[in-house]
Amino acid sequence: MDITQIDTRIGSKSDYYFSHGNTLPLTGTPFAMNYLSVQTNQDNSWWFNPDEYTFKGIRLTHQPSPWIGDFQHFLFKIKTRANFDDLDDYNRDHSLFRPDYLAIENISQQVRIIATSNKFGGALKFINYSNRPASLVLSGEKLTKVAFSDSIYILKLQNFSACEDPNFTMWLAIKANNLKFEKEINHQKDTNFIFNIADDDELIFATSFISADQAAYNLSNLHSFTQIHQDSVISWNKIFNLIEIQDYKKEQILTFYENLYRTFLYPMQFYEVSPEGKTIHYSTVQKKILPGKMFTNIGFWDVYRTSFPLYSLLCPQKYTEFLEGFFNNYQETGYLPRWLSPDERGMMPGTMLDVIVADAATKGLVKDELPQYFKAMIKGAETSSNDSKYGREGLEEYKTLGYVSNYYPESVNKTLDYAYSDWAISVVAKILHKAQYEAYYAKRSLNYQNLFNKDIGLMVPKTKQGDFINNFDDHDWGKGFTEGSSWQNSFNVFQDISGLIKLYGSKQKFLAKLVELVNQSPLYNIGSYGQVIHEMREMAAQPFGQLAISNQPSFHIPYLFALAGKPHYTELIIKQMLSAFNSSAEGYPGDEDNGSMSSWYLWSALGLYPEAAGKSSYVFGIPLFDLVTIKLENGKQLSLSTENNQDTNLFVSDRNFNEKKCNQTISHQALLNGGNLRVQLSLLPQ
């Protein structure tokens, strides 16, 4: 895929009330420390809208989601008029939004601003169509001067939506051949630093969370716009070249690669390399510089289902690097992280990094480090924190009652997530030959059964006294459930689908419940949320009943049909669900969430899906493309070919791997060994 065809605005037409992705058009390199974007309005969270013709500036951002907020952000502006704070008009149709490159046609200032970015910094240049001299404006909240000289200007920022360190700082170093400081203008919120800049000049910049000296060192490694841009192109081409698609469906191919781009944005790097070559990071918890790697802007409840299993196949070495950084966070806080931005935000119910560790362990990605990860998992499973951001909220109840009661919000999801994490601990214990731990946590992983109401056939919250709550309504959102009702969340028993089926009494009854889920209307009650939230509207907007592909709890539900013996139901639903995605600014059926929904699309388009993170196996769906070739990190190739691949053929009639007929699942190791997965489609199921 040619990088120039990727439009980063995919999924960006979103607001507080409805999400088509809640994404931002980000320019940089995969898993970078900074990204560049475009700000079109004055909003604090939804500051880019692809339909707006206004332009505030090029924004350096670390915002993973509008629901989380940004930190250490500021604007680059090129002005030929003295309206330093006004919104300009820009030609959105003549502007370019690419992973490697931004080009903004500013009508008001009569300039074309061009920007690129790599891991630590970037470059800007511009074409001045006016007959007026240009000014560079750096504008930001709590932006202050550090040191100005003729060659390098250093500033610092201290703005963030939340952080453990009230003095958390990012330093910014800039240079250009003909750059001269003119004045500083302070406003109630923002500060503008105005520089004179020549029309043919290139502004080079670098950032650091370590120090002003480190920012200057990072800047010393950047020399020109061309060099920085080439770094970005090379980085993205390495990703795009991992997967080659041969097919006539150009729109679906573009959608696939735009989703691949989104999958490789988060987590973001939060460490640097010192002049002495040492890997260091700033700990906002310990409030000092520490050795080792660190990553941020990632919510594990969102990504454990799809993103990290995909990394285990496409970039396993990077996966282990991520784990190294996450363990460093544990060493500084005492708990494995749940949602980092820049440090622990405590969002979402479970401690799902447990599952990511187990997934890496079963795939052989961690060996020597596994005992220390295991110790961290045990800490979270047994020790309550006085700060609800850390560990498992309601843990003492969970240990004594076997579930989290309705005293705690999201009690059902907490119980199911904790049970899944317990299973993950048992998996790691087995690898480490710790039989006693394995048995104990395997038994505790069955706690999900304590909330299953056989009369209703769904999970239902319980009181501390052990009774199911009164006046239960299966369409109520909240009231024990996360971003959904009992319909979306009752099937989150990834570790023990066979056990869940037994609770229904038979596969037939289990399948009947799934059919009831998808065949009913997408009705909802606001429940304990007290208002309509965007996830409710997004579920109702899709024609899949209570199967809310708009959010993570429903991601695996279509594949449950295949695991229960009805693969053709899975094939039919997946084929339709893939049509809910496209390459436009309305490209997603809900929040994209740090690559999680993009990864769902990638897996489903390939015709595979992780059975459960930690199980090292994949369930088959239905492939979208004629031929896909995946270049694996071990040097092997995986070929996925599909015959009779017409839009009218909705079912798989035959499937074999390396000339051997397949069952409904395939192991991770089999895929790593490479070979050819051949699928035949048919008009009717056979």
Side-chain angles (χ1 to χ4, degrees), residues 318-329:
K318 195 68 180 179
Y319 193 141
T320 60
E321 186 181 331
F322 290 148
L323 289 180
E324 179 186 345
F326 301 148
F327 183 75
N328 285 335
N329 184 273

Side-chain angles (χ1 to χ4, degrees), residues 180-181 188 243 246 283 293 343 354 404 413 440 498 512 558 617 659:
K180 183 179 180 181
F181 175 65
Q188 187 173 3
I243 302 178
Q246 296 180 34
S283 169
K293 296 178 179 178
D343 44 36
D354 298 326
V404 179
N413 281 77
Y440 174 74
S498 61
S617 61
E659 305 303 325

Side-chain angles (χ1 to χ4, degrees), residues 3 47 219 238 363 389 492:
I3 195 172
W47 40 262
L219 183 65
K238 285 181 180 178
K363 294 170 181 175
K389 294 198 306 293
N492 289 341

